[in-house]
Amino acid sequence: MTIRASVDERADVSVVASARVIATFALQHLKAAATFRDQVVAIEAVNAATPFGEFFEDIRSYASASIMSAAAALEALINEMFITPEGRLRPLLHNFDIDFWDDRQGIERLPPLKKYQRALSMLGKPQLNTSSAAYRSASGLVELRNALVHFKPSWDPDRRRKVEMVETLSGMYQLSPFVGEGSDFVTMRSMSSGCSAWAVSTVVAFLREFDSLAQLDDHKMSAFWRFEESDRQQANP
């Protein structure tokens, strides 16, 4: 069967279409974290037999960027899920401007992982297990990001909060092979390809755990799973 259509170009008809575009950046943050990780891997490989030197400054630049971008991916994603008008979370808020944006009690003011827990609560889903490896790693990633973003030199290695963070992160990733045990844990020993790789994998593992409970946005999450598969294939060609 042949279907024919014609358009009368003389017709005085105009069509105006408008669409609302919601800017998203969570996946880009994660891709950036992987890019910075790869730079650290490359620099470490080239200098594997080299003693500590100026190249370590480049490692610190890329490693810290990887950590911060990975943590930004976690926070950006849950913010996007709350804000998107067509999503399932925003309609559940009685007054979005107050419930989300209020300067004192709005959801926007919550720490990133608590936002994920709030989303699950609103959806009537079970809470994330805070004792799971995925949750503990994500919590450690946020703590490490905060320590870098809000960096305050500390001459007291026994400062309680710092000691607690080191205890939390110890054993989660391989430390830098270029600095000694007496070096600062955050700004020196954690500046490694092991930490950068852990930051990226932590985001994916946490999102897997959250998505298994929330099943909130299959289309959005599928982009993260495609990234995970592509990243795995590049690492193991």
Side-chain angles (χ1 to χ4, degrees), residues 57-70:
E57 282 304 300
D58 290 334
I59 287 178
R60 294 216 302 172
S61 295
Y62 289 121
S64 59
S66 182
I67 293 163
M68 289 187 279
S69 293

Side-chain angles (χ1 to χ4, degrees), residues 160-172:
R160 186 172 67 85
R161 184 169 182 179
K162 185 171 184 179
V163 169
E164 289 176 350
M165 182 176 65
V166 172
E167 289 177 348
T168 297
L169 294 173
S170 291
M172 287 191 174

Side-chain angles (χ1 to χ4, degrees), residues 22-93:
I22 304 298
T24 61
F25 216 79
L27 184 59
Q28 281 66 38
H29 279 311
L30 187 57
K31 288 180 176 179
T35 298
F36 295 134
R37 172 207 61 198
D38 293 345
Q39 291 294 323
V40 180
V41 170
I43 297 172
E44 283 191 354
V46 169
N47 294 280
T50 307
F52 180 85
E54 292 184 2
F55 68 88
F56 193 71
E57 282 304 300
D58 290 334
I59 287 178
R60 294 216 302 172
S61 295
Y62 289 121
S64 59
S66 182
I67 293 163
M68 289 187 279
S69 293
L74 276 180
E75 187 157 13
L77 178 63
I78 193 60
N79 286 342
E80 292 167 12
M81 287 181 163
F82 270 108
I83 291 171
T84 302
E86 291 77 17
R88 289 167 53 200
L89 291 176
R90 183 164 177 163
L92 297 176
L93 298 174

Side-chain angles (χ1 to χ4, degrees), residues 106-124:
I107 293 171
E108 195 274 334
R109 304 288 295 177
L110 292 174
L113 301 193
K114 288 186 180 290
K115 292 180 183 178
Y116 283 92
Q117 297 284 45
R118 177 67 66 85
L120 290 168
S121 178
M122 289 170 56
L123 293 167

Side-chain angles (χ1 to χ4, degrees), residues 134-179:
Y135 192 97
R136 289 188 293 105
S137 287
S139 179
L141 173 61
V142 173
E143 282 289 315
L144 185 56
R145 184 276 305 270
N146 290 344
L148 289 169
V149 172
H150 308 291
F151 178 67
K152 299 176 182 66
S154 174
W155 306 113
D156 180 7
D158 297 323
R159 187 166 173 259
R160 186 172 67 85
R161 184 169 182 179
K162 185 171 184 179
V163 169
E164 289 176 350
M165 182 176 65
V166 172
E167 289 177 348
T168 297
L169 294 173
S170 291
M172 287 191 174
Y173 49 82
Q174 291 184 337
L175 302 173
S176 173
F178 300 105
V179 297

